[in-house]
Every structure is written in C-alpha cells, then in structure tokens.
Amino acid sequence: HFCPMRSFNHKIPAILLIIFIIYISFILLFLTFFHEATDNENTTIISHIFAEKPLILKHNEHLIITVKTSYIYYTTRLKFILETWYRLAPAKIFFVSDRPDSDLHIDLHGHFLYTDCGSSHQRVHLVCKLYAELEVYFKARADWSCHFDDDNYVNVPNLETFLASRDPNLPLYFGKISVAKNISVVYRSEPISFEFGTGGAGFCLSRRVVEELHELTKKNISVLSISSDLGLTDDVSLGFIIGESPLLHPPSSLLQLTLSMFL
C-alpha cells in the first residue's frame, strides 16, 4: 500500500539540503552587502604614492597631466595612450594606478605611480586616486594641473595653446559640466548649490587653485574628508571644494565648457 508518510520521509534530506543552500545563500549575500557598505564608508584611507624611485618633480612647469588608470587596463587603454597622445608630451604626463608593473616603471622613466588605493569603481577607491593625483600637483607646483581618465584622448598642443592665454595666478577651474542642474548639499548646516567638472571628461586647475587646495589639507579638508562627510564622488567632491562652497575664498572662476579645446 502507498504510505504518504514514508514518501515524505524520503524527501526530508532533499528538503533539508534546499533549506541549507538557501540559508548559506542569505549568509553570503549579507556578508557581501556588509563588506561593500563598510568599504564604502572607509573614506579615511590615505593614498600613498609608491614608485621605484622617489617622486622628483621639476617646479614651476607650465603644465603637468595625470592620468588615472587601473591594472586591468594596462594592456588595453594604457597601451593605446602610450602609442598615441602620450608621445606628444611624455615629460609632462604621469600615470596614477593601483598596482605596480616593472615594465611600465622602466618604460615611463618614473612617470608611472601606483598607490594603495583599491582598483574598483567604488567611491572610496576613486576618491583615493584623485587625492593621489592632487599630491602630485602639490609637489609639482605647475602653472596648470590637468586630470584625465585612461579612456580620454587629449590633443596636448591644443590644450597648451588654450591654457597659455590664461593666468594661472587666478583661481581657474576648467572642465565640462555634465548635469543640467546644480548639485545641492547641506554642509555645516548651510545649504550649498554648486557645479562641478566631470572627471570622465577631464579638468584643469590653475596654480592658484592647487595652492589653496594644498592649504586646506593642512586643516584636514580634502576630497577624502568631503567625500566621507557628504557621500560625494571624487570629481563632485573636488567641485564642491573649488566652487561655491565656503572653503575657498574667493570661489574660483568656475567651469568653462572647454572640452572641445583639448579633447
């Protein structure tokens, strides 16, 4: 005779296995979420720059360019840059990444810099790399300091021509506005509205702006601290500091749509 209880007893191991798998899946999902949330809040990381040799920069250069990249793009994006626009101004261009590469160190003659930042696109890792780029600007003290991503093509002669007619002693910040409306935040109980130059399109800072940013770091105000306090991304944090915030006095002559001039 058919016995329902006996049939159910045969199914118990399979049911228990399914419950166990579901339980483990929930545990793994929770741990992944907890790790990402913790990592996203860990914006106190300091972006130390490493190189085979100490970073030595000539002061009072007209232009310095940093390119933010990652080890996953060494044989693709970075390779294409080295074969194209890097050749237009190799002495002015530095690459900031997240993992060492002995061949790049040799080929780029000390212009390849890696950091202890992470390699993902999480906010904390990107802010960390931007801070490393700013460290290069602080040391170089060039007339103009420009950031680009590793998927940009830069017409360096056009960029130099464009900047040559501008005064680096003025607080100037050139970039491309990527949002239709200003960003609005509350900082120290004060509502603030500002624009920013998207990092994906590249931006340039005058010597005056870089010097003031450097002075702010002595007060523990930087893209790292602003990103942590306000939850902003790297380029937005920089735009907040430079733009309409009360941090720089007076605010810079903000954001001109100059993308076509040097990309």
Side-chain angles (χ1 to χ4, degrees), residues 185 187 192 194 226 230 232 236-243 245 247:
V185 299
Y187 182 71
I192 296 174
F194 65 98
I226 293 300
L230 300 179
L232 303 176
V236 181
S237 297
L238 182 65
F240 170 81
I241 295 173
I242 296 175
S245 79
L247 299 178

Side-chain angles (χ1 to χ4, degrees), residues 155-210:
N155 188 326
V156 180
N158 278 8
L159 173 60
E160 292 185 299
T161 299
F162 170 78
L163 294 175
S165 61
R166 273 71 182 179
D167 185 354
N169 295 306
L170 297 177
L172 297 174
Y173 169 34
F174 296 111
K176 182 180 185 298
I177 301 172
S178 63
V179 292
K181 297 182 179 179
N182 287 6
I183 304 295
S184 297
V185 299
V186 176
Y187 182 71
R188 297 176 179 175
S189 301
E190 179 183 351
I192 296 174
S193 178
F194 65 98
E195 298 171 313
F196 72 98
T198 175
F203 54 76
C204 292
L205 311 176
S206 68
R207 184 178 62 249
R208 167 77 176 278
V209 169
V210 170

Side-chain angles (χ1 to χ4, degrees), residues 14-216:
I15 293 174
L16 291 176
L17 178 61
I18 293 173
I19 293 175
F20 177 74
I21 291 174
I22 294 174
Y23 173 76
I24 293 298
S25 298
F26 273 112
I27 292 295
L28 292 175
L29 182 63
F30 171 78
L31 290 177
T32 300
F33 174 79
F34 178 78
H35 172 74
E36 290 181 353
T38 303
D39 194 25
N40 284 338
E41 293 304 316
N42 183 26
T43 51
T44 57
I45 184 172
I46 301 300
S47 51
H48 298 99
I49 293 178
F50 300 95
E52 295 297 325
K53 297 180 181 180
L55 179 58
I56 300 175
L57 299 173
K58 295 180 180 179
H59 293 162
N60 303 318
E61 289 283 343
H62 174 64
L63 172 66
I64 187 171
I65 296 172
T66 57
V67 179
K68 181 179 67 181
T69 188
S70 177
Y71 78 95
I72 62 176
Y73 299 123
Y74 288 174
T75 59
T76 53
R77 296 180 180 181
L78 192 54
K79 175 178 178 288
F80 297 138
I81 291 177
L82 296 179
E83 292 176 349
T84 55
W85 65 270
Y86 168 75
R87 298 182 179 182
L88 299 175
K92 303 178 186 296
I93 302 171
F94 289 80
F95 296 90
V96 175
S97 189
D98 44 56
R99 190 169 296 184
D101 185 286
S102 56
D103 291 335
L104 289 173
H105 275 302
I106 295 173
D107 295 343
L108 298 178
H109 307 289
H111 283 226
F112 174 79
L113 312 170
Y114 65 96
T115 69
D116 53 0
C117 304
S119 59
S120 78
H121 272 67
Q122 293 183 23
R123 172 171 56 88
V124 59
H125 297 164
L126 297 178
V127 173
C128 182
K129 283 184 183 177
L130 177 57
Y131 188 79
E133 293 181 77
L134 292 172
E135 288 180 312
V136 177
Y137 301 163
F138 298 157
K139 292 181 180 180
R141 292 186 288 180
D143 288 342
W144 298 98
S145 300
C146 299
H147 151 89
F148 295 99
D149 280 351
D150 57 8
D151 57 355
N152 292 141
Y153 178 85
V154 183
N155 188 326
V156 180
N158 278 8
L159 173 60
E160 292 185 299
T161 299
F162 170 78
L163 294 175
S165 61
R166 273 71 182 179
D167 185 354
N169 295 306
L170 297 177
L172 297 174
Y173 169 34
F174 296 111
K176 182 180 185 298
I177 301 172
S178 63
V179 292
K181 297 182 179 179
N182 287 6
I183 304 295
S184 297
V185 299
V186 176
Y187 182 71
R188 297 176 179 175
S189 301
E190 179 183 351
I192 296 174
S193 178
F194 65 98
E195 298 171 313
F196 72 98
T198 175
F203 54 76
C204 292
L205 311 176
S206 68
R207 184 178 62 249
R208 167 77 176 278
V209 169
V210 170
E211 289 173 349
E212 295 198 24
L213 290 173
H214 193 200
E215 288 300 312
L216 284 177

